[in-house]
Structures are given as C-alpha cells and as structure tokens.
Amino acid sequence: MTTFLYDLSTTGAISFSDFINDPDNSFTRRLSEITQLRSRLRGFLKESKRTDGEKDYLTIIKIIDDYLPHLQGVINCVNDHELELKFEPVFSWRTTLSANFLNNSPRMTLQSLHAEHASSLLTYAFAHSNLARAIVANLGPYEHDRAISQAEREAKEEQLKHATSHLSRASGIFTYLSETVLSELQQSASVTKFKLPPDLLPEVNTALSRMTLADAQTLAIRKLLSKSFYDCNIAPGPPLPKSHPAPGLIAKLHLECVSLYSTARTLAKTPSASSKSSEDVSPELRHYLADETSLNSALAKKWLGIDAGENGGQKRGGEAVGFLIWAKKELQDIKDGGKGAALAKGEKEKRDRNLRKEKVAIELETIDSWLKHYKKVNDTIHFQPVPSQAELQSRIPTGVSAVFSIPYVPQKPAFGPGSEARIQKEQATLDQGDSMSGSSTYAGAGEYY
C-alpha cells in the first residue's frame, strides 16, 4: 500500500519589516533575508499545488530548512527585546486536515510568531511524508518482477529504506510540534481567544506522529519480505522459501502497526477544548486510519496462522486454520466495503483506493492457498479442533517495533540570541576577560578558606 497523501498548505504574503521595529538598525539585512525566504516558500507552495514529485518535495524541505533558523532568530530577538513588535503579526495558512462542507481547505489566520513557526514545521513534516510516498510510487511492485536482477532489487530496497527514513523524520517533527511548539502556541496570549484548527492541536499531531511511524513500519515490513516474495513469485503459498523471515515476527510487526494506527485514530477523533468538535479532522484521514488498522489486523492474523502451521506442529494444526479463516473474513469485509470507499476526491485518491483493492485481492488469493493446505493437513493428519475466535484472541501476542521516530532537533538560529555568531562572540568576550585577569589566576582562585 501507499502512505497518506497530504495536500500541502499555501500561505499569504507578509513582510517582516512591516510589523517589526529594529531600534538599533542591527537586523535590517536579516529582516530582508527572512522576508525573501518566506516569499520563496509561499511561491513554491503555490506552484507545488500543480505538481507531485520527489524534486518538488525536496525543494520544499530545503526552503523550510533555510527559513526556520531565520524565523527562530526573529522569535528569540523579540523575546529578548532586541527587536520589537509594532503590532501582533497576522499569518494566514490554508488548513490541511480540517473537515469542510465544500471539501476544500479553509484559510486560517492566527496572530502569533509561534503560529507561523508551527505552520512551517507542519508543512515541513507533510513534505517529508509526501516525499516518502513519491519515492515508493516510483518503485512499483518490484518484488513481484521475475526479470529484476539482484542489483536492481537491492537498489530498490535502498530507496525503500530512504523513504522509511523520511517517514521516521516526519514522525519526529510531529512529536516535536505536539510536545513543544504547540504548547507554546496555546500559551500565547494572542491565540487564547481563538479556537485552533485540528492541524495545530497537540493530540492531532500526536496522532500524525503515530500514523507516520506506522506507515514507516509497513515499508520496513515490505523491505523485509521483498527477497522472499521474489523467490515465491511463481507459486505463492506453501511452503515458505528459505529466504522468508520468521512468520511470527512478521505478525508481530503488523500488530504494532495495528496499535499505532488505532491509537492515532482515537486521538484524531478526541474532542479538544481548543477545537469545535471531533469532526474537525477530515473524514479522509480518519478513514485512512480505520482502513489501515483493519488491513494490518488481517495481515497479522494471516501470519499468525502461517506461523502456527509451519512451526507449531500437530498441536497447533487447528490454530493455523482458525487464524487463516479469521484473516480471510476480515479481508473480505475490507473488499466488500472499506471505510474510504466513497471518499476519493481526485485521481490520486482513486489510485490509492484501487491499489488497496488490488492488494486485498492478492492477499485473499494467497490466504485461500494456505488455508486449503492447512485444512487438508488438519483434516487428514492432525485432527485438531479449530479454536473459537475468543480463544484465538487470547493467543495474539504483543506487537514489535522495527522502526522508530527520528527526534527533531531544531537548527541554531541564524542570528540573535543562541546563534553560532552570538555564541562565538560571547565566548570571545569571556576568553578576553579571562586573559585580562590571568595574572591573578591560580589554582583555587575565588575560593576562600
């Protein structure tokens, strides 16, 4: 499957010198630079609405990489009164996750530098996630290509690893937003009287962090299975090729995805004091989470069944049949009517829906092959009773993580307090002071007995 596609925000024009006073004229050039950087970001975001490729997302990431240190410099200078606000600035961004009657993105205006910081970081995370999606889309179903060489397959796997890394980075950015930036925004006096959109709610960003991490884990599972899928392309089904990873491990990896997706869905539906209702989050996102939860739940049961059949011996013959019957039922439910069936807004969404249907159809065919095999073995050799669904539920293990969020570490400000130039200047001042007092410096200086 592919990952969730975000419609990147667009933003209105603004000039920092319009609302910032520079008392000593120390930051004239810096204010001009940050206005130019933001203008470039605004222009490219507007242009990117008509494109969808790796180069576009890479460019957006690079522009925001350049912009954020300058924005942090302004925030630090205002906090330390080196720069003054003439009035509270108003930044406008179109929301990405808001449900809307007309199915378009409403424009959001907030009076706070922290809101600008949060919106820029949010777009940064979206771009990383969309870049991962674009990379995966370019790979195609390479593991099912019988003509692919080992070198070509390994190169594709490296790209898959690269996409997983971008999703892990996006997860870390969402976490940083939720735990740090959005708490600062909510405490800002200029926004306390406004209701924040879902895009800027801590619980929603926590949901996005978990969803993106689950997306990364699904790519890790695909990479882990790619060699064995290639080896069994001619006749999918029993027996497993020697290159196949332990089916019990694959089941636990899918179970961790279930936990992440389901928790994310709950958080995305949780009402907040800052939000009008749980319906503020777009149905498209919530249905994506529901569908991925269901799909990974079914795949986990498939691999639990195969693990019981391949490694459980006679005693687990009935368990193998039971888990596969359960997996088949859940996949059939998805095929007959997934949550996202009526949500396709455009060609990309329709393509995603078709990809899901194709994957479910392939999985059903594979499960039928395994189920037929294990049922025959159990009916003729093992003679084990098939456990009830409640019994099987008690035997489902805890999930296992294969990937983790990459913590977001902010760059140093481009200027002002905390910047590299300011740190070096302060250190030089300290060093000069130490050298001037060097004649009276001795071991234990400053200590009196």
Side-chain angles (χ1 to χ4, degrees), residues 304-313 316-317 319-321 370 373-374 382:
L304 287 172
I306 293 174
D307 180 55
E310 296 295 291
N311 304 317
R316 297 180 67 191
E319 184 178 325
V321 174
W370 284 101
H373 170 72
Y374 289 136
H382 296 328

Side-chain angles (χ1 to χ4, degrees), residues 111-130:
Q111 295 179 329
S112 171
L113 285 168
H114 293 298
E116 172 70 1
H117 188 199
S119 298
S120 300
L121 274 173
L122 194 65
T123 303
Y124 191 47
F126 290 163
H128 273 289
S129 182
N130 282 4

Side-chain angles (χ1 to χ4, degrees), residues 17 20-34 73-74 77-78 81-84 414-417 419 422:
S17 60
I20 288 180
N21 181 41
D22 181 9
D24 300 326
N25 294 320
S26 303
F27 300 102
T28 303
R29 179 173 62 86
R30 295 297 192 178
L31 293 177
S32 175
E33 286 176 352
I34 190 173
V74 168
C77 285
V78 169
H81 308 291
E82 296 182 23
L83 290 173
E84 301 170 347
F415 56 90
S419 66
R422 183 69 63 87

Side-chain angles (χ1 to χ4, degrees), residues 35-53:
T35 298
Q36 291 175 15
L37 285 170
R38 194 181 188 285
S39 177
R40 187 179 175 216
L41 174 60
R42 175 179 177 265
F44 203 87
L45 285 173
K46 186 176 180 180
E47 182 65 27
S48 70
K49 301 298 285 185
R50 295 185 289 273
T51 58
D52 179 27

Side-chain angles (χ1 to χ4, degrees), residues 73 238 286 311 378 384 418:
R286 288 184 280 115
N311 304 317
N378 194 52
Q384 295 297 312

Side-chain angles (χ1 to χ4, degrees), residues 141-296:
Y142 70 91
E143 58 267 64
H144 300 293
D145 181 3
R146 291 296 304 170
I148 195 171
S149 68
Q150 180 176 342
E152 289 172 327
R153 180 174 57 78
E154 290 176 351
K156 298 272 190 180
E157 288 180 354
E158 190 61 31
Q159 285 297 301
L160 202 58
K161 182 179 177 182
H162 192 47
T164 303
S165 176
H166 279 290
L167 289 170
S168 297
R169 290 181 187 281
S171 178
I173 297 166
F174 287 129
T175 298
Y176 181 76
L177 270 163
S178 176
E179 296 179 355
T180 305
V181 178
L182 294 180
S183 62
E184 295 173 350
L185 174 60
Q186 289 185 324
Q187 293 167 13
S188 174
S190 58
V191 299
T192 53
K193 58 185 177 182
F194 297 104
K195 287 186 177 295
L196 294 171
D199 309 54
L200 298 181
L201 296 178
E203 61 268 27
V204 172
N205 276 268
T206 300
L208 295 178
S209 176
R210 297 189 182 188
M211 180 188 80
T212 311
L213 190 60
D215 287 344
Q217 177 122 329
T218 62
L219 296 189
I221 295 171
R222 179 180 175 184
K223 181 177 181 295
L224 189 61
L225 289 170
S226 67
K227 177 64 166 64
S228 60
F229 277 172
Y230 172 79
D231 290 341
C232 65
N233 261 335
I234 295 177
L240 291 175
K242 292 181 180 180
S243 60
H244 202 287
L249 172 62
I250 302 301
K252 290 178 181 179
L253 293 174
H254 278 295
L255 287 169
E256 182 64 15
C257 290
V258 173
S259 176
L260 289 167
Y261 281 128
S262 60
T263 303
R265 184 174 180 233
T266 299
L267 287 167
K269 293 170 63 179
T270 302
S272 167
S274 303
S275 180
K276 294 177 182 178
S277 72
S278 61
E279 293 300 314
D280 279 351
V281 177
S282 69
E284 184 183 357
L285 175 64
R286 288 184 280 115
H287 287 193
Y288 173 83
L289 291 168
D291 287 344
E292 287 302 310
T293 300
S294 299
L295 179 60
N296 280 275

